[in-house]
């Protein structure tokens, strides 16, 4: 069934994994326990158990793994480096927010076999096409359900398996299909037959109907018929016959059909389920935007309190949090530095119980991971609470560890009139911090540009200051913050991102330089956006601004970043460690442009004389509202929310629009009882979009519950401008933003000007 699979089973490294090994699972310096690990026969599941734990065991799939790190490349393994040499150690890194697995082998040879073997299996899992992926998924379920491991399943076992797969079906119908698949009439299905049974079970009438509309004989699509479908339904006019032929070559499973230049129903379904048939325009997946504009003309993926893996009061500070954020394309990370007891600056959330990490370790991590996901510049936002001596130590670490990667001089030696572009700054790290020199309106300046929680509350209690008020730091005479001077060595490392206090839009218009930037708390930014939207948009055409969550969000929750993007704020910092709507929107905006962390703002937000206001979108030049019509047709293999036996989801689909205030909207379908396998809605949801260039569209699937809150099943968010019209599949993501194949929605989208 899988020649590639048999090839990989002949691999010596994979054979070692299948034979099994005793590896130490390490959680800390004191928690190191032996576990027996092996790769199961499916070539995809890793199983492990304690020698002593009786029947208890754990499993995970290779598809959940992102990478293998060799040696002491995690904080846990570094802590036991003296006990176990690097050639015995490795780390399995999972997608999303799942914690790593740190392992120690008994010999360097065994470690090498696991490192190389897992890498090969990850590569195989990543390069499977849609058909192989689906076959693999079905086989996985078969293996899970085949309790006695005899490679066969009777009807009763198949019924149970269908329940596990979120299918509730008529027993008579299921038995009929089972009998059709049981070619040998043995009363049980072997794996090949089960795959066949699954295929008949998942034949999709809704896809067949679309196919019938364009197929002359109802059996196949001729080249010309496929072209018609692409032009009329998919609105892909101007594509050549060659493109249709390419689709046949790529997705048609039948060699005979390929030779005849026709597409069968199977091929048609494969194409619709592929990336080319997905809702996100293929041409927007890579870098498609102009990367030569000034830095402030882009939205920049940005993280707040990057060192935290959990909440802000007692969470763990971790280098892993930086690695995870950078791997997600984050281009602005934050470091809160404080004086360490032994002369080495430490990073943690001040005045809380969060654990501490060394500043120098963070900089080493930054050096290694900054440019793995994207080679566009990274901004290091420094919240500096250190005295002069340890500031100088920080400056030395930055210079020594980062070397040429750290930008320390003007690119052309000239005083800039505008910021350099992401293209010009490729591979560079920029320090954002206070700098000696320039305008100082507050003589008694503190070195942090975030207002403390107490000040923010006092400010809000005292009534909202106007946009032109001096900052709270200057007003608050009782400010108990440590006031310290700035180290010249550290100051000299700040070039294009000099932190300054914000003294109002009028002041900025006449005095500010392009390399000066201010930070705003979410409440202040929201107020300014509402009261002076156009001023804020204009301000952001000249300078960078950074927004950070309120200090009252001790649970590391997030604000909605859309309000800030609506006025052109670039560095909208979110707690990357907290899953939910806000991170879905962030992932959605930055999903385009190769996930490089930079997205070019619309032209009307880059023009310094712009009159755009998110409150009054109809007043801008070139205003053309659009009608978005989404027919939600069906769902496929939705994951179970409740793993309890016999529980099946009652799914509904909600489409949410985020954008300027007038565009915020939600519409949902009715729910379907007891069917997470192939629910059919055939309901149409309609929206009017006033500012398409700023809108994000979020598709959410939930398990309806009349007694309590609906449970989340999956979601997918993308910019409105990246949507492909026509019949499309939406490949759903988990709460963590990771793929949950083969779960999808099948929809038909049409976009037209509002007449």
């Amino acid at each position: 069934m899988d020649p590639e699979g048999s090839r990989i089973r002949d691999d010596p490294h994979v054979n070692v994994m299948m034979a099994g090994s005793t590896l130490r699972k390490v959680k800390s310096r004191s928690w190191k326990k032996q576990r027996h690990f092996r790769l199961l026969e499916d070539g995809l599941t890793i199983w492990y158990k304690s020698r002593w734990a009786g029947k208890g065991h754990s499993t995970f799939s290779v598809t959940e793994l992102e990478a293998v790190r060799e040696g002491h490349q995690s904080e846990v393994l570094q802590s036991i480096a003296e006990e176990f040499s690097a050639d015995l150690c490795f780390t399995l890194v999972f997608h999303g927010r799942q914690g790593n697995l740190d392992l120690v082998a008994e010999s360097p040879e065994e470690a090498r076999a696991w490192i190389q073997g897992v890498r090969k299996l990850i590569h195989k899992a990543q390069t499977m096409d849609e058909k192989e992926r689906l076959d693999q998924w079905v086989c996985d379920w078969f293996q899970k359900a085949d309790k006695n491991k005899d490679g066969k399943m009777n009807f009763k076992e198949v019924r149970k398996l269908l329940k596990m797969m979120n299918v509730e079906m008529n027993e008579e119908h299921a038995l009929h299909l089972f009998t059709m698949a049981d070619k040998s009439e043995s009363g049980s299905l072997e794996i090949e037959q089960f795959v066949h049974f699954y295929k008949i079970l998942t034949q999709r009438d809704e896809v067949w109907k679309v196919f019938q509309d364009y197929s002359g004989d109802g059996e196949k699509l001729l080249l010309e018929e496929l072209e018609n479908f692409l032009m009329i339904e998919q609105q892909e006019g101007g594509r050549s016959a060659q493109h249709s032929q390419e689709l046949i070559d790529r997705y048609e499973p039948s060699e005979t059909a390929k030779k005849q230049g026709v597409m069968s129903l199977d091929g048609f379904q494969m194409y619709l389920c592929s990336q080319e048939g997905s809702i996100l325009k293929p041409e927007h997946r890579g870098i498609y935007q102009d990367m030569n504009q000034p830095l402030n003309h882009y939205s920049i993926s940005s993280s707040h309190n990057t060192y935290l893996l959990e909440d802000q009061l007692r969470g763990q500070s971790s280098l892993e949090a930086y690695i995870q954020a950078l791997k997600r394309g984050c281009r602005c990370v934050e470091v809160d530095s404080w004086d360490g007891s032994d002369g080495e600056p430490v990073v943690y959330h001040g005045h809380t119980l969060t654990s501490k990490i060394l500043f120098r370790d963070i900089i080493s991590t930054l050096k290694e991971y900054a440019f793995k996901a994207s080679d566009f510049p990274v901004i290091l936002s420094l919240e500096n609470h250190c005295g002069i001596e340890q500031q100088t130590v920080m400056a030395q670490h930055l210079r020594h560890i980062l070397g040429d990667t750290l930008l320390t001089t003007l690119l052309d030696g000239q005083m800039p009139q505008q910021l350099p572009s992401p293209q010009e700054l490729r591979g560079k790290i920029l320090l954002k911090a206070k700098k000696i020199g320039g305008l100082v309106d507050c003589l008694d300046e503190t070195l942090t540009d975030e207002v403390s929680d107490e000040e923010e509350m006092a400010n809000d209690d005292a009534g909202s200051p106007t946009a032109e008020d001096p900052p709270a730091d200057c007003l608050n005479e009782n400010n108990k913050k440590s006031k310290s001077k700035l180290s010249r060595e550290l100051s000299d490392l700040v070039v294009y991102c000099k932190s300054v206090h914000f003294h109002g839009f009028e002041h900025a218009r006449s005095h500010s330089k392009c390399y000066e930037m201010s930070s705003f708390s979410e409440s202040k930014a929201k107020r300014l956006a509402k009261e002076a939207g156009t001023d804020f948009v204009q301000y952001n055409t000249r300078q960078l601004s950074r927004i950070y969550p309120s200090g009252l969000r001790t649970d590391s929750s997030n604000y909605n970043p859309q309000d800030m993007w609506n006025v052109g704020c670039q560095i909208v910092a979110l707690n990357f460690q907290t899953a939910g709507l806000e991170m879905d929107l962030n992932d959605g905006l930055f999903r385009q442009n190769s996930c490089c962390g930079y997205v070019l703002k619309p032209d009307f937000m880059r023009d310094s004389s712009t009159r755009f206001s998110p409150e009054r979108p109809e007043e801008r030049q070139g205003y053309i509202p659009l009608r978005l019509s989404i027919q939600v047709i069906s769902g496929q293999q939705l994951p179970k929310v409740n793993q309890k036996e016999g529980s099946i989801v009652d799914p509904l689909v909600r489409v949410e629009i985020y954008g300027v205030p007038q565009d915020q909207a939600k519409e949902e379908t009715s729910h379907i009882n007891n069917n997470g396998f192939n629910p059919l809605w055939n309901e149409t949801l309609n929206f009017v979009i006033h500012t398409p260039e700023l809108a994000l569209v979020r598709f959410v699937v939930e398990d309806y519950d009349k007694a309590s809150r609906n449970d989340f099943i999956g979601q997918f968010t993308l910019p409105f401008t990246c949507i492909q019209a026509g019949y499309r599949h939406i490949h759903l993501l988990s709460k963590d933003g990771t793929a949950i194949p083969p779960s999808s929605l099948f929809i038909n989208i049409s976009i037209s000007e509002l007449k």
Side-chain angles (χ1 to χ4, degrees), residues 556-714:
S556 291
S557 59
N558 282 311
Y559 55 89
N560 188 324
Q562 188 70 46
D563 301 325
M564 316 307 170
W565 293 328
N566 285 345
V567 286
C569 297
Q570 303 86 353
I571 299 178
V572 179
L574 296 177
N575 291 301
F576 268 50
Q577 71 273 28
T578 308
L581 162 69
E582 299 81 11
M583 273 309 294
D584 291 348
L585 294 177
N586 198 72
D587 288 346
L589 176 66
F590 294 103
R591 182 159 282 121
Q592 60 186 318
N593 219 28
S594 197
C595 302
C596 76
Y598 284 83
V599 167
L600 189 62
K601 296 193 283 185
D603 54 3
F604 58 85
M605 302 192 82
R606 308 195 305 262
D607 171 6
S608 58
S609 58
T610 183
R611 300 302 308 149
F612 174 74
S613 162
E615 300 289 329
R616 298 181 303 283
E618 67 285 349
E619 290 178 13
R620 81 171 163 95
Q621 247 182 329
Y623 164 71
I624 301 174
L626 297 177
R627 181 181 296 287
L628 169 65
S629 184
I630 300 171
Q631 182 194 8
V632 180
I633 302 170
S634 61
Q636 291 73 45
Q637 288 96 53
L638 303 175
K640 287 179 74 156
V641 172
N642 188 335
Q643 290 309 317
K644 279 211 302 279
E645 207 173 302
S647 89
I648 304 258
V649 297
D650 305 325
L652 64 83
V653 177
R654 189 168 56 254
V655 177
E656 304 171 347
I657 311 291
Y658 295 87
V660 299
Q662 262 177 276
D663 287 344
Q664 308 278 3
K666 294 179 184 184
E667 295 286 334
E668 64 184 41
T669 66
S670 52
H671 67 275
I672 307 282
N673 285 327
N674 274 343
N675 189 347
F677 186 68
N678 54 359
L680 275 170
W681 289 279
N682 277 321
E683 293 179 40
T684 300
L685 311 176
N686 290 303
F687 303 91
V688 172
I689 315 278
H690 297 272
T691 312
E693 299 89 340
L694 290 176
L696 290 170
V697 184
R698 182 174 185 247
F699 294 84
V700 195
V701 186
E702 287 181 348
D703 180 10
Y704 172 77
D705 191 326
K706 64 171 180 289
S708 62
R709 235 174 108 180
N710 294 349
D711 284 321
F712 173 92
I713 291 178

Side-chain angles (χ1 to χ4, degrees), residues 91 150 152 289-290 332 359 428 450 470 472 556 563 597 609 629 656 658 714 716-717:
T91 303
D150 66 349
K152 294 187 175 126
Q289 295 182 326
D290 176 5
C332 179
F359 177 81
K428 291 292 182 192
E450 286 194 8
S556 291
D563 301 325
S609 58
S629 184
E656 304 171 347
Y658 295 87
F716 189 79
T717 307

Side-chain angles (χ1 to χ4, degrees), residues 66 69 93-100 303 306 308-309 318-330 333 365 369 373 576-578 583 736:
E66 185 179 294
R69 292 191 208 140
V93 182
F94 289 82
H95 291 291
R97 294 179 177 83
Q98 190 178 336
N100 297 342
S303 156
T306 314
L308 290 181
L309 275 173
S318 171
L319 299 175
E320 203 56 50
Y322 284 90
I323 296 170
Q324 287 184 13
L326 290 164
K327 282 195 312 199
R328 285 180 85 154
C330 178
V333 296
T365 301
Y369 287 94
F576 268 50
Q577 71 273 28
T578 308
M583 273 309 294
D736 261 356

